[in-house]
Amino acid sequence: MTAPARSLAEVERGPRTAPPRPAAVPEPPPRRARRATEDPPAVRWALVAVALLFVGAFVLVPAATVVAEAVRGGVALWWKALVDPDALAAVRLTLLVAAIAVPLNALFGLAAAWSVTRFRYAGKSVLVSLVDLPFGVSPVVSGMATVLLFGAHGWLGPWLLAHGVKVVFAVPGIVLATVFVTFPFVARELIPFMEAQGVEEEEAALVLGATGWQILTRVTLPNVRWSLLYGIILCNARAMGEFGAVSVVSGHIRGVTNTVPLQVEILYGEYAFQAAFAVASLLFVLAVVTLVAKQALEWHHRPRRPTVLRSAP
Amino acid sequence: MPEIPRPQHRSPTRRLAALFACVAALGVASATRAAPAPVQLLNVSYDPTRELYEDVNAAFARQWKARTGQDVAVRQSHGGSGKQARAVIDGLEADVVTLALAYDVDAVAKAGLVAPGWASRLPDNAAPYTSTIVFLVRKGNPKAIRDWDDLVKPGIQVITPNPKTSGGARWNYLAAWAHALEKSGGDEQKATGFVRALYANVPVLDSGARGATTTFVERGIGDVLLAWENEAFLAVEKLGHGAFEIVVPATSILAEPPVAVVDRVVDRRGTREAADAYLRFLYSEEGQEIAARHFYRPRLAAVAGRYAARFPKLRLVTVDRVFGGWAAAQAKHFADGGVFDRIYAPGR
């Protein structure tokens, strides 16, 4: 072992404990750059402790409380709260809304990412900003916008009412609000990835005579599938968990227009604490499933360079 | 055509599509499997009436079926009274509204959904049951709170929600004002001073009645909670387990939560007959009995007599007599720049 290549243990002990070197061997130049990672152990442990403390206090303890409260009265009571007709209706509605909103936004996200990363045109940056808009707007405002547009006194409301179409305070309104709020997730996930990937593969396919549809299904989609799935998972988690926007447009009709998060709030407001936490535990399970799926995807798909034959540098 | 090399992993995309198809099918299937009920009504109500109307709906459905042979399913929506009125105005298809204040029904009427004069279409100002404002104190009443005057003593913490946002809180405020006005022989200056002192003793102003109850009961803040009588009973029965007591002041306000058929909706949906019968059922002996069981004061003398032990006697004043109606009370006390805005300075 040569002197400049220090072992890991030496690095961790820091420069002060490093054995003295023969004067003939020159000091390695990267020493300065390494400094940042050579904070005294006390500092490092303090930072780790602070991080753990924060995660514990703000994430783990509340999560554990939800689970503990949910089963406080026993598993039988927990189950009874879940199979209550109103709770079941809320679960069905949440699944329905996600089943409509998520594919719509997956499709839209793909289209937006494709158009943004594969073409050049005026106003592209405006489009990208607009895609991000729902992230910047409070969900309550999103909900109110839906009411203002489709409500009985809204812009389109009177016409819809005259034609017997119910939008706000019915399932379509809830879907619309959810679509709006979860709009950016897939596009946001895909745009940077597709940008980094470049257009070479598609161009190659084009040169080989592929049609647009063939390029999409055989080149683009297979390339972006992990990013797409990742975006869909996040989009789904938000669609099922959305509260603010949905609360404004729901009308809170029991067993009809209450989603799972609304049901939790209602039960809590009715002093049915145990039932509220039991239903909330469903959302907690959703969070865990999302986390595991996200982690699994990250394991499966470590960021690597797209397998493209590039010209030599 | 040249062969495009097939990418190796195509199946995840397909599997994903299949998954979505399944979930979508599940959702659609469950959405279309609604109960085949010939008549459906929607009752849009305020927060604490859920259990009441669950029982009323079941009893009414039985009675309607026996009388007409038709099935009726009444759906419920609950929330803050003002918010619910807003939703009905914005298009929530309520066949009937059963709200906390006449003011909120007036708002719906002003939007053209309920015919003017709704309050005289049904008996008793269209309020089939009444309630009042009482005090909820901690077990043993450690601060010896007996009446309104005890609330303004130094060191007493009073929990009441914000009258700008909560219907129940307006009743609380008006009850306090009515007491002070009466005691001072009609001196508004003194009444203003009284509510000013009262709200100086309020450590947190929740936005709704349920929030205030939670603050008092769950978080343990405050010495006394001003609450609907039915809410106070509910807190004692459901949450208290002997930790709370109800204190009834000598004078309080007669709260008349009104009900009304939403004309525009029932005419469009053709549900007027059932909606009318539903509200009239509330005045029947059976309906009154259910209301009394849920701690609302019944109007019918026969039922009131049976539950006399439950509801303590106190002198009740009405909004109409003391304040000249809800519209006047609203404009004078709760509108922007009204009395409440002048007396309440947060963070004192």
Side-chain angles (χ1 to χ4, degrees), chain A residues 198-223:
Chain A
V199 296
E200 287 91 342
E201 283 187 49
E202 274 107 346
E203 281 171 356
L206 192 68
V207 167
L208 289 171
T211 62
W213 181 249
Q214 279 174 320
I215 293 174
L216 179 71
T217 55
R218 296 199 180 180
V219 180
T220 310
L221 272 185
N223 269 341

Side-chain angles (χ1 to χ4, degrees), chain A residues 74-147:
Chain A
V75 175
L77 265 181
W78 174 78
W79 181 248
K80 202 170 140 251
L82 291 188
V83 296
D84 172 80
D86 283 357
L88 281 182
V91 170
R92 274 200 296 267
L93 178 63
T94 298
L95 288 179
L96 173 71
V97 169
I100 299 171
V102 174
L104 272 182
N105 276 337
L107 213 63
F108 162 78
L110 192 62
W114 169 275
S115 91
V116 163
T117 58
R118 295 296 183 257
F119 303 95
R120 253 173 284 171
Y121 47 88
K124 200 164 91 171
S125 58
V126 176
L127 179 69
V128 175
S129 308
L130 281 181
V131 167
D132 276 346
L133 184 72
F135 272 164
V137 173
S138 162
V140 176
V141 178
S142 314
M144 286 196 318
T146 310
V147 172

